[in-house]
């Protein structure tokens, strides 16, 4: 009797133990799969370093403006979705004017010559853009006569009281238009910056576009301005 009882108890204990072993191995198998899948996803996420090669076109509305751009043009992950926004930041490779891709990885990681431009759309806060502000504002804040710059530009330093420390103003005449105007960092700050020059223009319906670019592109400012205008024509629509 004792032997039968012991055998029965052994079978019950053995059965319970085996179930626990089975569940433990099943859990380990599921964990292994999760780690494998998660590892691949995390590895790709780290490799992309915040970039995406997703070319799905996103529709972003700012005020009365619709901006249609591929996700790989959009700088920040949280903005890569359709909907209403108060601001939109893009980055493009110049002169290709395209977004991130595996072929463009070195350019976006700045392993090659600086060629990334940064664009920011936001509601217009000023009645004039940078070119329009030259005569009434900037001309009173610069030190004349200035020095010759690349591609027909003139570079002006700012007065000490102007508030634009360590910056220069690049100006170039444009027949029949306000001059081309861009502000650029100077000195060590310019060397450390990926895009030390910036220019803002009025676009769309009460929208302002600020684009920042490498100082080397001042020597090609006319082509750069034209490339920006061409890209805007393809991605920006207004309700007017």
């Amino acid at each position: 009797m004792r032997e039968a009882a012991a055998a029965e108890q052994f079978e019950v204990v053995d059965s319970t133990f085996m179930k626990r072993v089975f569940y433990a191995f099943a859990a380990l198998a599921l964990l292994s799969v999760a780690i494998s899948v998660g590892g691949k996803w995390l590895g790709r996420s780290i490799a992309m370093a915040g970039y995406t090669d997703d070319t799905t076109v996103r529709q972003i509305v700012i005020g009365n403006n619709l901006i249609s751009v591929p996700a790989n043009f959009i700088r920040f992950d949280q903005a890569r979705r359709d909907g209403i926004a108060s601001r939109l930041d893009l980055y493009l490779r110049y002169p290709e004017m395209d977004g991130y891709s595996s072929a463009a990885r070195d350019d976006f990681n700045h392993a090659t010559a600086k060629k990334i431009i940064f664009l920011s759309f936001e509601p217009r806060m000023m009645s004039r853009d940078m070119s329009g502000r030259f005569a009434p504002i900037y001309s009173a804040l610069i030190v004349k006569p200035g020095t010759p710059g690349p591609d027909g530009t003139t570079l002006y330093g700012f007065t000490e009281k102007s508030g634009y420390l360590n910056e220069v103003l690049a100006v170039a005449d444009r027949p029949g238009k306000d001059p081309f105007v861009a502000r650029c960092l100077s000195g060590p700050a310019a060397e450390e910056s990926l895009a030390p020059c910036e220019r803002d223009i009025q676009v769309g319906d009460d929208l302002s576009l600020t684009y920042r670019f490498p100082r080397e592109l001042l020597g090609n400012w006319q082509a750069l301005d034209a490339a920006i205008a061409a890209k805007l024509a393809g991605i920006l629509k207004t309700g007017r």
Side-chain angles (χ1 to χ4, degrees):
M1 292 292 292
R2 289 181 179 178
E3 291 179 356
E8 183 179 351
Q9 183 179 10
F10 175 77
E11 288 178 0
V12 171
V13 171
D14 184 61
S15 175
T16 303
F17 174 74
M18 290 305 294
K19 285 182 180 179
R20 289 177 179 174
V21 170
F22 171 78
Y23 289 139
F25 275 107
L28 286 173
L30 289 174
L31 180 61
S32 177
V33 171
I35 290 173
S36 176
V37 173
K40 289 179 180 178
W41 179 87
L42 182 60
R44 174 174 170 80
S45 178
I46 292 173
M48 296 296 281
Y51 299 124
T52 181
D53 53 9
D54 179 13
T55 57
T56 302
V57 175
R58 297 300 182 188
Q59 309 278 350
I60 294 92
V61 176
I62 303 179
N64 200 34
N65 304 276
L66 174 66
I67 305 171
S68 301
V69 288
N72 65 333
F73 280 40
I74 301 174
R75 189 175 176 190
F76 302 114
D77 178 66
Q78 65 270 25
R80 295 172 185 147
R81 53 183 54 85
D82 299 332
I84 298 173
S86 59
R87 176 188 173 102
L88 180 64
D89 295 285
L90 310 179
Y91 45 12
L92 305 175
R93 182 173 59 150
Y94 181 86
E96 294 84 355
M97 301 302 284
D98 57 5
Y100 179 85
S101 66
S102 58
R105 181 185 296 114
D106 286 347
D107 291 331
F108 277 84
N109 286 331
H110 314 292
T112 60
K114 295 178 183 178
K115 56 187 304 183
I116 303 302
I117 57 177
F118 301 86
L119 294 79
S120 298
F121 294 90
E122 55 189 337
R124 187 181 304 168
M125 301 297 291
M126 299 184 180
S127 60
R128 300 170 182 264
D129 61 15
M130 193 170 283
S131 290
R133 296 197 299 272
F134 176 71
I137 299 176
Y138 289 129
S139 62
L141 301 176
I142 55 178
V143 178
K144 298 176 182 178
T147 59
D151 197 21
T153 59
T154 300
L155 303 179
Y156 297 95
F158 283 96
T159 62
E160 293 183 0
K161 297 181 180 180
S162 66
Y164 296 107
L165 297 177
N166 301 317
E167 293 189 36
V168 296
L169 194 70
V171 182
D173 290 332
R174 296 186 298 177
K177 298 181 180 180
D178 288 331
F180 168 88
V181 178
R183 291 203 332 264
C184 297
L185 296 173
S186 60
E191 296 299 323
E192 296 171 1
S193 176
L194 297 172
C197 293
E198 74 169 45
R199 167 170 166 75
D200 65 69
I201 58 176
Q202 294 181 350
V203 299
D205 185 2
D206 289 329
L207 202 62
S208 176
L209 168 64
T210 299
Y211 68 89
R212 296 186 296 113
F213 57 94
R215 183 158 176 163
E216 292 82 353
L217 294 184
L218 270 180
N220 207 22
W221 67 265
Q222 296 180 72
L224 174 62
D225 232 28
I228 294 289
K231 181 57 68 175
L232 287 174
I235 68 174
L236 177 63
K237 297 179 177 61
T238 69
R240 289 182 175 179

